[in-house]
Amino acid sequence: MAFVSARRSFAHPSDHQNSTCSSTNNSVAPSPDDTPRQSPSSTSLSSLDSNSDLGVKNAKGKLLDTYGNEFQLPDFTIKQIRDAIPAHCFQRSGARGLAYVARDITSLAVTFYLVHTFLTAGNVPSTPVRAMLWAVYTFVQGLFGTGLWVLAHECGHQSFSPSKTLNDTVGWLCHSALLVPYFSWKISHGKHHKATGHLERDMVFVPKTRDQYATKLGHLAHELTELMEETPIVTAGTVIGQQLVGWILYISANVTGHNFHERQSEGRGKGKRNGFGGGVNHFDPSSPLYEAKDGKLILLSDLGLAIVGIMLFLIGRNFGWANLAVWYVAPYLWVNHWLGKWSSLKPVHQSSLTLVAVAITFLQHTDPTLPHYEPNSWNFARGAAATIDREFGFVGRHLFHGIIETHVLHHFVSTIPFYHADEATEAIKPIMGQHYRSNVEGGPLGFLRSLWKSARMCQWIEPCEGAEGVNKGILFFRNRNGLGVPPQKLARPSQP
């Protein structure tokens, strides 16, 4: 079914420069039908707040997103979402999934054969032209590689086929070939889905609070409103220059993940923190991201990486390291570009943060309209709705298997295969109403423009001014660039 997203109408930031953060009391505390069953894991970090007292009756104060639009809490249940989806959308076909895997692998192989065979000095004497065409090759292979990554992602969610054995076998093979630790990623990614938008349990895309952002800059929180605008050249340099390493930093140092590892129920998180050398990563079976029962799967993931690493070493030694760089490393970096993470690291100077930016996954969870929740304000439906669909044209819908265009649906029911996701998305739109978010304006170019807009507008999160009760635990992006709703002006802390 063709899918044309109905974009929400957002007010322009300039219309709300003087707005202050309206109370919305149309949500209810979750019931057993509202949220999935509790995770079998014993750790609180991977279970759901199925019995949280959300205190909605005490909610006060207007909630305004970064554009200045009034935000209302979602009032639908997960049961309503699931009941709205046609039954056949839940059906998975292993044969169909394998056919897509075969298509993507064939695309990679045929592209390599054609370029390697015909793009020679004899056929293309000009060295600059050959170099340009090889650069195009790396970009195209990166697209096909990203598609294969997405299919392995389907395997991790068990939406690839009804067979867990087939899913995990195909997922392990495909992700290992792309240097992704399949089972390690699968476990942490599952926890991300169970706690999306939860500031203390989400496993990735956890934005900086105002205090954290100010500290990274070497300032106090109240000083942020006094700082000069971050120059566009700094934004551009940090976004373009470092976005390729986001995925590597995520799996190696858990950047963008929560940093509450002391709460891990088995005691694995004591003394551990995000960052290199902090003991939190996707390779160590003792990492607090996992439980003891996961140890063998983490080692199996590491084995897959080791096998591929040895194969790449042998290719480089036998065929030349320059060839390996063009054949594999450059396309691999393109995959990282599309599928990596965004994180704030140490400051490079007092006017900006070192940022690690990427495209697809960052833009699925970062937008001026999206809220984030403190524990007492979060439930599963609210978190799942804190995502956004975008549009990337032919590449997104066919090469990337719709991962950009149907992500909202994916967070409500992740076991629906991608080839049914368009129809299922249309089915849940009437239930979600205004809470379904999409930004399809401009197609692929609009998608890339959103990366810039989010980098400029979404610098930290803070509560809305005057918010109390549950509303105080609902935070929105703010920035120091004069875009959208201005951040609160805080009083200077008293001297001791």
Side-chain angles (χ1 to χ4, degrees), residues 151-153 155-156 166-177 180 182:
L151 293 177
H153 167 269
C155 292
L166 178 62
N167 293 337
D168 287 341
T169 300
V170 173
W172 182 76
L173 290 171
C174 292
H175 262 178
S176 295
V180 177
Y182 171 71

Side-chain angles (χ1 to χ4, degrees), residues 380-457:
F380 183 86
R382 294 174 185 176
T387 54
I388 186 169
D389 288 340
R390 301 187 188 271
E391 177 64 48
F392 206 54
F394 175 86
V395 171
R397 293 191 171 277
H398 298 282
L399 300 188
F400 292 172
H401 307 292
I403 194 172
I404 296 171
E405 292 79 9
T406 60
H407 195 70
V408 174
L409 176 277
H410 176 68
H411 263 271
F412 282 103
V413 190
S414 59
T415 54
I416 290 180
F418 72 91
Y419 41 82
H420 293 317
D422 281 344
E423 182 178 359
T425 295
E426 292 297 330
I428 69 172
K429 283 182 181 180
I431 305 300
M432 295 188 67
Q434 65 178 315
H435 301 293
Y436 172 76
R437 294 179 179 83
S438 67
N439 185 345
V440 301
E441 183 179 352
L445 291 179
F447 175 85
L448 296 176
R449 283 196 295 268
S450 294
L451 182 61
W452 175 261
K453 178 188 293 184
S454 293
R456 297 287 289 170
M457 296 188 71

Side-chain angles (χ1 to χ4, degrees), residues 208-286:
K208 297 295 184 214
T209 64
R210 181 168 179 159
D211 284 340
Q212 292 169 334
Y213 182 90
T215 299
K216 292 293 183 181
L217 290 178
H219 289 272
L220 298 176
H222 74 278
E223 296 174 328
L224 287 181
T225 54
E226 304 168 7
L227 296 180
M228 294 179 62
E229 172 187 351
E230 181 178 83
T231 62
I233 191 65
V234 170
T235 304
T238 52
V239 169
I240 296 173
Q242 299 174 69
Q243 66 185 119
L244 298 182
V245 296
W247 168 255
I248 297 172
L249 290 175
Y250 169 61
I251 62 175
S252 301
N254 199 46
V255 297
T256 79
H258 74 75
N259 210 10
F260 294 87
H261 305 297
E262 294 281 349
R263 302 178 183 181
Q264 210 273 352
S265 63
E266 298 175 341
R268 291 165 160 255
K270 293 182 178 179
K272 296 184 178 180
R273 54 178 174 74
N274 295 343
F276 288 106
V280 185
N281 58 67
H282 283 69
F283 310 113
D284 186 352
S286 65

Side-chain angles (χ1 to χ4, degrees), residues 469-483:
V470 64
N471 283 0
K472 190 174 182 179
I474 304 172
L475 285 65
F476 289 90
F477 286 108
R478 298 293 185 256
N479 62 81
R480 60 189 178 97
N481 294 325
L483 301 173

Side-chain angles (χ1 to χ4, degrees), residues 285-433:
S286 65
S287 170
L289 301 178
Y290 310 109
E291 286 77 50
K293 63 182 177 61
D294 301 322
K296 293 181 180 179
L297 294 176
I298 310 307
L299 292 175
L300 184 56
S301 301
D302 295 343
L303 176 62
L305 299 184
I307 292 172
V308 174
I310 292 172
M311 293 173 63
L312 292 174
F313 173 79
L314 294 175
I315 292 172
R317 190 176 66 176
N318 293 322
F319 297 97
W321 300 107
N323 283 332
L324 177 65
V326 175
W327 295 345
Y328 184 91
V329 176
Y332 168 79
L333 292 176
W334 275 113
V335 174
N336 285 353
H337 159 72
W338 294 118
L339 291 164
K341 313 297 175 187
W342 169 287
S343 174
S344 298
L345 297 175
K346 63 182 180 180
V348 291
H349 53 72
Q350 293 218 321
S351 66
S352 73
L353 291 177
T354 301
L355 298 177
V356 177
V358 294
I360 295 176
T361 49
F362 168 66
L363 288 177
Q364 289 168 338
H365 296 273
T366 308
D367 187 82
T369 66
L370 296 180
H372 286 77
Y373 298 92
E374 292 184 344
N376 290 336
S377 300
W378 181 92
N379 67 20
F380 183 86
R382 294 174 185 176
T387 54
I388 186 169
D389 288 340
R390 301 187 188 271
E391 177 64 48
F392 206 54
F394 175 86
V395 171
R397 293 191 171 277
H398 298 282
L399 300 188
F400 292 172
H401 307 292
I403 194 172
I404 296 171
E405 292 79 9
T406 60
H407 195 70
V408 174
L409 176 277
H410 176 68
H411 263 271
F412 282 103
V413 190
S414 59
T415 54
I416 290 180
F418 72 91
Y419 41 82
H420 293 317
D422 281 344
E423 182 178 359
T425 295
E426 292 297 330
I428 69 172
K429 283 182 181 180
I431 305 300
M432 295 188 67

